[in-house]
Amino acid sequence: MTIMAGMGPGTGTGIGPLLRGWRERRRLSQLRLALLADSSARHISFVENGRSRPSQDLVLRLAEHLDVPVRERNALLLAAGYAPLYPEKRLDDPSMAALRSGVERLLAAHDPYPALVVDGSFRVLAANRALGLLLAGVAPHLLEPPLNAMRITLHPEGLAPRIVNLRQWRRHLLERMERQLGLVRSAPLRALLEEVRAYPEPPGVAEEAEEDLTELFPFALPLRIAHEGRVLSFLSTIATFNTPMDVTVSELALEAFLPADTETAAFLLGTAPPQEGRRTIRPPGAAPPPPARPAAAAARPRA
């Protein structure tokens, strides 16, 4: 963890054009939306035409039934004359300590398989040790903060020359970004999409025919990367937070790569450092987790 014809739902000012844009994007009639939100088609029409100002509660109900992203719910509230309801805290904020700790545990537990956490513009916020193994050979300028997963993957000096099924994976990633742009307004994400779409193909790709992978991988499109004389194959899974109450959290996505064949699993299992803490990359400024209390101390009864 962006939009419609040009820029996003609704191009006018005020709650009316924004609401109409989201309703049309979700292909709901005024009557259907009114029934879902316990309102009336007449009131919805008046709100969209600027003849009525909705209550804060109605704005939130409409946003819920239109599946409006958290960041855009704040925009709807502002357009209706209300203060934003959802905060946007940095991931290194002290109040995010429990979330950071949980994410780090998830990343470490997924090792020796690669995993990373990205925000709504695909900036890499955290990653586990295994992901670093795959970045060998990536140009140093692509690994300078802020790292961006799309640039690293599709840039000609990034992973692109080593991705065996580059055209298929590139098409998948561009479609993923376009779907993201269909959900929320994001000028940075729109710019990123145009940037990576313009990247030239690495030499040799244009002459290669696309391999039909459906026989080998009938369940999902794999990411296939040439690495140290072998081809590693991965399936990608993406996890997000349920019912987020913070803009930052609502746009976080944990992407974990699973081995798509026994050869990939065996190779990665052989790279795991024995009895060593699985290191994760923390957000800038984040404090390390507190050391665990010794078991004896934890169990010591109070006087």
Side-chain angles (χ1 to χ4, degrees), residues 135-269:
L135 299 183
V138 171
H141 70 90
L142 293 172
L143 300 178
E144 294 176 359
L147 282 69
N148 187 280
M150 292 297 177
R151 288 194 183 99
I152 290 173
T153 304
L154 297 178
H155 196 283
E157 297 179 13
L159 290 175
R162 293 169 44 211
I163 298 179
V164 177
N165 59 330
L166 177 60
R167 283 187 170 176
Q168 294 165 317
W169 195 253
R170 178 180 183 274
R171 189 159 52 242
H172 154 69
L173 292 183
L174 293 180
E175 289 173 355
R176 177 177 166 188
M177 295 178 74
E178 287 168 352
R179 287 196 303 272
Q180 183 95 338
L181 280 167
L183 295 177
V184 306
R185 292 175 296 178
S186 173
L189 184 57
R190 170 65 66 186
L192 177 65
L193 173 60
E194 297 306 323
E195 175 191 331
V196 299
R197 183 181 275 149
Y199 287 161
E201 291 182 333
V205 172
E207 291 77 25
E208 294 178 6
E210 287 190 19
E211 182 183 2
D212 186 358
L213 300 173
T214 52
E215 257 189 65
L216 289 174
F217 308 97
F219 29 79
L221 177 70
L223 167 63
R224 309 193 74 210
I225 299 181
H227 182 73
E228 297 181 358
R230 58 177 58 81
V231 174
L232 303 179
S233 300
F234 298 95
L235 300 177
S236 168
T237 65
I238 299 174
T240 57
F241 287 88
N242 284 335
T243 320
M245 301 301 292
D246 179 276
V247 174
T248 299
V249 177
S250 73
E251 296 176 349
L252 292 181
L254 190 154
E255 185 162 12
F257 292 90
L258 303 171
D261 53 37
T262 56
E263 293 79 9
T264 300
F267 172 77
L268 292 172
L269 286 169

Side-chain angles (χ1 to χ4, degrees), residues 91-92 97 100-101 103-105 107 124-128 145 278-291:
L91 202 54
D92 58 2
R100 288 197 310 271
S101 177
V103 166
E104 289 187 355
R105 284 197 295 272
L107 292 173
V124 179
L125 303 180
N128 66 3
R278 308 276 170 80
R279 185 174 62 87
T280 60
I281 303 170
R282 295 190 182 90

Side-chain angles (χ1 to χ4, degrees), residues 12-64:
T13 58
I15 181 70
L18 287 176
L19 177 60
R20 184 185 305 112
W22 284 110
R23 181 179 59 77
E24 292 175 348
R25 176 158 290 277
R26 301 302 185 233
R27 294 180 170 85
L28 291 177
S29 66
Q30 290 179 342
L31 177 58
R32 178 59 180 160
L33 179 58
L35 291 173
L36 290 172
D38 194 23
S39 183
S40 69
R42 177 187 170 122
H43 189 40
I44 299 298
S45 175
F46 277 21
V47 171
E48 290 187 358
N49 293 326
R51 297 176 60 186
S52 179
R53 180 192 182 207
S55 67
Q56 182 186 58
D57 181 62
L58 179 58
V59 172
L60 294 174
R61 291 205 312 274
L62 293 171
E64 179 71 24

